[in-house]
Amino acid sequence: MTEFLYLAALLVSTGCMALLDRRFRLVLWRAPRAGTITVAIGIAFFLAWDLAAIASEHYAAGQSEGMTGIMLAPELPLEEIVFITFLSYLTLVLRGLIVLVLRRTGRGGLTGSTGTALPDAGRPAPRPAAGREVAQ
């Protein structure tokens, strides 16, 4: 039974992040398509990195009682794919939480690469008063 401990820890941690994401609408519950694409790009990047390290013999899969032993490719354990998924999703959730905290503390002067204001994570857009427009 111990051979699933690491995989279980990664899945439980990812599930907890998904609950945070859902509660505060940070990534996948805010913009599901963009969030999924961004996580997929992160997975592809880190998988390419891992495969290059394996090909150049800089990386070899470790053996532990806490790992399943399921290999998806030579020196590429199942847990590595789950870990890079976790890492990519974690990065986006942390970014969303930082933006949320900065906005709620009044330090939300963040802008995107285009110079436009980043979406306000966790809060609905303000509604204009009757006869007035809300400045964006």
Side-chain angles (χ1 to χ4, degrees):
M1 188 66 181
T2 61
E3 65 269 11
F4 290 97
L5 285 177
Y6 181 51
L7 181 61
L10 287 171
L11 292 173
V12 167
S13 298
T14 303
C16 290
M17 276 196 314
L19 290 174
L20 268 174
D21 182 9
R22 180 175 174 234
R23 166 63 178 91
F24 295 105
R25 299 180 51 89
L26 302 169
V27 181
L28 299 179
W29 272 266
R30 181 168 211 48
R33 184 173 179 199
T36 301
I37 289 169
T38 305
V39 169
I41 289 169
I43 293 168
F45 173 79
F46 285 116
L47 182 58
W49 182 316
D50 281 353
L51 293 175
I54 291 167
S56 65
E57 298 180 357
H58 288 315
Y59 172 83
Q63 296 301 321
S64 164
E65 290 181 16
M67 294 180 65
T68 64
I70 299 170
M71 303 300 276
L72 302 176
E75 304 300 330
L76 185 66
L78 169 65
E79 291 87 354
E80 184 67 10
I81 300 298
V82 177
F83 174 74
I84 62 177
T85 302
F86 168 79
L87 183 63
S88 298
Y89 189 32
L90 172 68
T91 303
L92 292 176
V93 169
L94 284 175
R95 183 233 176 244
L97 284 171
I98 289 168
V99 169
L100 178 66
V101 167
L102 289 175
R103 292 255 164 90
R104 288 190 176 177
T105 60
R107 298 183 186 126
L110 299 176
T111 59
S113 60
T114 61
T116 59
L118 294 173
D120 190 13
R123 262 193 268 169
R127 297 180 185 258
R132 296 184 185 184
E133 293 184 22
V134 174
Q136 293 290 336

